[in-house]
Amino acid sequence: SGAEYVLLGILLGPQVSGLLGRTVLQSFEPITTLALGWMGAIIGTRFYLAELVAVPGITYRLAFVESLLTLLTVFGVEMAAMTLLGFSPGRVWIPALAMGAIATASSTAAVNMIGERLGKERERGSERPLLVQLSVSTTVNAFVAVIAFGILLSMHHPDPYVMDRPITPTEWMAIAIGVGVVGGSLFYLFLGSEQHEDRLLIALGGAVILVSGAAAYLSLSPLVVGLFFGIILVNTAENREEVTAVLESVDRPLYFVLLVIGGATWRPSAEPWALAVVVLFLAARAAGKIGGARLAARANGALPVLGNDWGQALLGQGGLALALAINYQYQQVPIGSGLVFTAAVVSVLLTDFISARLMRSAVVSAEQQNGASESLARDSLAGESLSGEVS
């Protein structure tokens, strides 16, 4: 996840050494905006329709139910906790929803690692169902997290006073989606069939700068705009694989810069109850992921295939959680920005080292449960056959 770069940024920032002062950090805002838009575009490239339609519908149903249950669980717990602490419900819903969106995000790194180690070998003509479900779930988690965060910024958006009436949250969300769709369409028209890597890099850089800069100017989320930019691009461009490779080749350097800047801009919360809110965030997220995944599988009859504990494989947070928290800071939301960022950093640090182990444990548990179910089925069939012979 690169959480160590956040710690490096904290050490360099005004809170510790002061090597990166406020003025210097403000000059880095364009780089931060570019990195957020770039990450959103990479998430968008996962939504290639030709591959999505090949996945059974129940897989998406499980993923969306688990995502929404996690979001609502964390949102409800944080709302209740901060309201009991004496804050107005008319204000605490903003950091509560931000933490709910952050909690929904799950790491794709652990899925890729376990998938490579197991080789995704085919059993009885199909891929391991749990690995397929986890791959889809992390993608849906990212989509729900980014969209929920975009809705938050649309609802808590200052009025620019350019019309006779205030622009509604629905219209702000439509504007964010429209910027991404138009940006992806323009790139397709100009360089949709380009194969040269250097030209693609320059063109993609310019396109992401354009759409993410427009999002920042309009006080919208570059992640949302970049998401729909990537979706349009991957489904229209003839050079889909080349575009994806170029985006991924620049992702990590930009991401590490984003983390350093985010750590430097972090301001710790001075409230004595901040630690309790962060602990509640961790507990509510674990309950939402594990409990939501189990409820979704039970309701759809998928527990025998996925296992009782498949939700624990989604506990790893990953980089998107930090990106959402950094985006929350840079949107200058005046409510709990330090608290939201602290919750994200603590969660990433705690889950980063154990996410692969949790995922491997879930895979092994599901396979053992599948093996036991198949053994019982074989014994039942053998019993029926023997009863027929005796008759």
Side-chain angles (χ1 to χ4, degrees):
S1 66
E4 63 273 13
Y5 288 86
V6 177
L7 299 179
L8 176 62
I10 293 174
L11 294 176
L12 296 176
Q15 303 298 330
V16 183
S17 66
L19 294 177
L20 297 178
R22 300 294 180 191
T23 305
V24 176
L25 291 174
Q26 288 178 357
S27 66
F28 287 154
E29 288 188 10
I31 301 177
T32 304
T33 302
L34 171 62
L36 291 171
W38 202 279
M39 179 173 288
I42 290 178
I43 295 173
T45 58
R46 303 182 201 167
F47 292 89
Y48 182 48
L49 293 179
E51 294 179 352
L52 295 180
V53 296
V55 179
I58 187 176
T59 306
Y60 294 108
R61 188 159 60 247
L62 292 171
F64 273 105
V65 170
E66 176 272 316
S67 300
L68 294 175
L69 286 177
T70 302
L71 173 66
L72 295 175
T73 299
V74 175
F75 172 69
V77 168
E78 295 297 337
M79 271 282 294
M82 286 186 276
T83 302
L84 290 175
L85 290 170
F87 292 89
S88 169
R91 291 175 59 84
V92 298
W93 71 268
I94 299 174
L97 183 55
M99 284 191 276
I102 291 169
T104 307
S106 298
S107 173
T108 59
V111 177
N112 297 334
M113 181 185 300
I114 298 301
E116 291 175 0
R117 288 185 178 181
L118 296 177
K120 285 189 177 181
E121 64 263 22
R122 297 181 175 273
E123 294 181 307
R124 297 172 183 83
S126 62
E127 291 183 352
R128 294 171 184 254
L130 180 56
L131 288 179
V132 176
Q133 179 64 58
L134 293 176
S135 179
V136 172
S137 292
T138 53
T139 299
V140 171
N141 286 167
F143 180 81
V144 172
V146 172
I147 294 300
F149 191 80
I151 293 173
L152 165 63
L153 295 185
S154 298
M155 296 176 66
H156 188 267
H157 196 287
D159 188 8
Y161 299 103
V162 296
M163 298 177 60
D164 296 335
R165 59 171 180 80
I167 300 177
T168 65
T170 303
E171 291 170 339
W172 279 122
M173 194 65 188
I175 291 171
I177 295 173
V179 171
V181 171
V182 171
S185 302
L186 288 176
F187 181 85
Y188 163 70
L189 291 176
F190 286 106
L191 286 171
S193 58
E194 178 62 56
Q195 301 293 328
H196 198 279
E197 183 176 346
D198 293 338
R199 292 179 181 177
L200 276 176
L201 177 60
I202 295 171
L204 276 171
V208 176
I209 289 172
L210 176 65
V211 297
S212 60
Y217 177 76
L218 296 170
S219 297
L220 299 170
S221 173
L223 283 164
V224 176
V225 174
L227 171 69
F228 286 94
F229 170 81
I231 291 175
I232 295 298
L233 196 58
V234 77
N235 286 284
T236 55
E238 300 175 4
N239 52 355
R240 176 180 62 87
E241 295 181 357
E242 289 79 4
V243 168
T244 303
V246 170
L247 284 171
E248 292 177 348
S249 67
V250 188
D251 175 45
R252 300 306 288 176
L254 278 178
Y255 176 55
F256 291 146
V257 172
L258 175 69
L259 296 182
V260 173
I261 297 173
T265 57
W266 171 68
R267 297 180 183 179
S269 178
E271 303 295 339
W273 43 262
L275 179 60
V277 173
V278 172
V279 172
L280 279 176
F281 169 81
L282 299 174
R285 181 176 184 272
K289 285 291 180 184
I290 298 175
R294 183 176 297 184
L295 285 175
R298 185 184 301 276
N300 290 274
L303 275 182
V305 177
L306 300 179
N308 294 325
D309 302 320
W310 72 277
Q312 73 180 19
L314 300 172
L315 288 178
Q317 276 274 239
L320 178 59
L322 292 175
L324 290 168
I326 292 170
N327 196 179
Y328 188 81
Q329 288 193 127
Y330 268 84
Q331 294 300 125
Q332 299 179 351
V333 181
I335 306 170
S337 59
L339 178 63
V340 171
F341 189 76
T342 302
V345 171
V346 171
S347 181
V348 169
L349 286 174
L350 290 178
T351 61
D352 189 28
F353 301 103
I354 61 173
S355 59
R357 292 184 176 89
L358 289 174
M359 183 164 293
R360 184 178 183 278
S361 174
V363 172
V364 171
S365 175
E367 291 185 347
Q368 290 176 348
Q369 189 167 335
N370 287 338
S373 300
E374 291 174 0
S375 177
L376 288 174
R378 286 195 299 268
D379 293 343
S380 176
L381 289 174
E384 291 179 2
S385 175
L386 181 59
S387 175
E389 291 178 2
V390 171
S391 299

